[in-house]
Amino acid sequence: MYYIAYGSNLNKEEMKQRCKDAKFVSLARLENYTLTYRGNPGRAYLTVDKKKGDFVRVAVWDVSENDNKSLDEYEDYPYLYDCFEEKALLEKNETITGFSIIVFQYVNRAIRIWNGANKDIAIWVGMLQF
């Protein structure tokens, strides 16, 4: 199964600790989404929200059932995050369907920290380590 990752799950070393079987597939774009934070000062959670015309840079991982269980534990699913299925546009202009996570709406309100998707992308793609 394919996992569409953003945030700390872009980091190869951290993913290998969480998901022993995970294999990197490709960088991709999650079209019509934007990065946002929910929570309170000092305890905010990165998530994605739908936003037409925007996109989030993501990594696609091929994960096993055991990896999926590890991700559920790490992301505090189903208490803090929920899963959803979506399509991601791979670097080769191919589309792949996978699952990702989103913080529940009740975790405070969405806070847009940066103005424009390009700064969000620069922050998180910089964490991708291979």
Side-chain angles (χ1 to χ4, degrees):
M1 72 184 82
Y2 294 114
Y3 171 56
I4 301 169
Y6 60 89
S8 64
N9 291 331
L10 291 175
N11 185 300
K12 184 180 179 183
E13 294 306 313
E14 289 185 27
M15 275 296 286
K16 281 296 173 192
Q17 290 175 6
R18 285 180 209 121
C19 303
K20 308 285 188 234
D21 303 325
K23 293 175 184 66
F24 176 76
V25 175
S26 178
L27 292 176
R29 290 168 49 134
L30 191 56
E31 299 287 334
N32 297 311
Y33 282 86
T34 189
L35 285 173
T36 57
Y37 291 87
R38 288 201 183 91
N40 300 306
R43 184 109 175 145
Y45 302 94
L46 183 65
T47 190
V48 292
D49 282 324
K50 287 194 177 225
K51 184 176 181 186
K52 188 175 173 104
D54 217 345
F55 67 91
V56 175
R57 290 274 185 192
V58 295
V60 177
W61 298 89
D62 189 358
V63 297
S64 68
E65 194 60 44
N66 285 336
D67 292 336
N68 191 20
K69 289 176 186 173
S70 294
L71 284 168
D72 286 351
E73 281 183 34
Y74 174 73
E75 301 293 357
D76 208 10
Y77 172 81
Y79 305 105
L80 180 61
Y81 283 88
D82 196 11
C83 259
F84 68 98
E85 188 174 278
E86 191 57 83
K87 292 181 178 161
L89 182 63
L90 303 179
E91 289 184 308
K92 302 173 193 173
N93 283 333
E94 299 170 2
T95 301
I96 196 167
T97 300
F99 71 94
S100 194
I101 57 169
I102 190 166
V103 174
F104 285 118
Q105 289 290 342
Y106 67 78
V107 180
N108 208 337
R109 60 184 175 82
I111 304 167
R112 181 75 182 192
I113 301 296
W114 292 283
N115 185 13
N118 291 338
K119 292 202 179 194
D120 293 337
I121 291 163
I123 295 294
W124 292 103
V125 169
M127 291 181 59
L128 192 60
Q129 298 174 2
F130 287 92

